[in-house]
Amino acid sequence: PVPVQDDQISKRYGLFSSGGASGEDVLQRIVELTAESWSNSEVKLAIVSEFMNPDARFSTKLQDWWKNGGNPNAEAFFFSNQDPLTAEEYSQRRADSDEETDKWIRHLQREDISTVSPGLLYIQSFSSNKSREADLLRVQRRCVPKTDQGSIWTPTNEKARHYTQQV
């Protein structure tokens, strides 16, 4: 969610990494296009990203995006950190100065972003012979526990890898 009104910050991160003002424009369109283009055969999509407000609000948004695409036969597995970063923590990590930190914080507040987490999103379509409610993407959210080895994105965190493989 790069503060796109700041040219210096936007140039450093680029349009794709920004995902638009809310950080979700690209993700939303990927989910909608995927739902539009899948047939009834079993297909999987995997996305690694930073997720804004990775709580129940995100699951609801994901279901709405999927419904916009028109494919009701799918299930999502969403992994995020047990302890997402606050908007302030995220701002401090992204900024190069106190002034930029303030810009980030104000931007996230405008976009109603209170927490951010790295995460993994898997969406799996089902064959048409599996009974499902119409226009519903079932989302299973899993919070990956923080360990002494780091978070979900720490490559050497064997505990996080093991946790996500068990689902």
Side-chain angles (χ1 to χ4, degrees):
V2 173
V4 291
Q5 68 277 13
D6 186 295
D7 290 338
Q8 185 177 17
I9 296 173
S10 294
K11 286 178 186 174
R12 191 166 61 244
Y13 288 100
L15 180 61
F16 184 81
S17 66
S18 78
S22 70
E24 294 180 329
D25 293 351
V26 173
L27 176 62
Q28 177 179 351
R29 195 61 189 131
I30 289 171
V31 171
E32 290 172 347
L33 285 171
T34 301
E36 289 171 14
S37 61
W38 276 358
S39 65
N40 285 335
S41 61
E42 291 195 24
V43 180
K44 295 179 183 176
L45 172 72
I47 297 173
V48 177
S49 188
E50 290 179 329
F51 295 91
M52 310 303 122
N53 298 323
D55 53 20
R57 291 179 285 181
F58 178 74
S59 297
T60 301
K61 278 195 258 183
L62 188 60
Q63 289 169 329
D64 289 343
W65 298 340
W66 189 259
K67 191 182 294 185
N68 289 344
N71 187 339
N73 300 317
E75 183 169 28
F77 297 93
F78 174 53
F79 297 92
S80 64
N81 279 341
Q82 179 179 6
D83 299 319
L85 297 174
T86 66
E88 290 78 17
E89 291 170 317
Y90 185 80
S91 297
Q92 290 167 351
R93 289 185 180 194
R94 286 291 184 182
D96 281 347
S97 66
D98 290 342
E99 179 185 349
E100 278 191 15
T101 300
D102 291 339
K103 287 179 183 181
W104 274 99
I105 290 172
R106 285 192 308 274
H107 176 74
L108 296 177
Q109 287 171 342
R110 275 192 306 273
E111 295 298 323
D112 195 28
I113 297 170
S114 56
T115 57
V116 180
S117 177
L120 311 170
L121 175 62
Y122 300 98
I123 300 176
Q124 175 179 320
S125 66
F126 292 106
S127 298
S128 58
N129 62 353
K130 294 192 179 185
S131 173
R132 304 277 302 148
E133 287 185 46
D135 298 325
L136 177 67
L137 172 69
R138 184 173 52 198
V139 179
Q140 294 188 37
R141 182 171 178 259
R142 300 284 192 258
C143 294
V144 179
K146 184 175 182 176
T147 70
D148 57 347
Q149 295 177 356
S151 74
I152 192 173
W153 270 9
T154 307
T156 57
N157 187 346
E158 292 179 27
K159 293 176 184 176
R161 286 197 318 264
H162 179 73
Y163 181 86
T164 57
Q165 290 169 348
Q166 296 306 307
V167 175

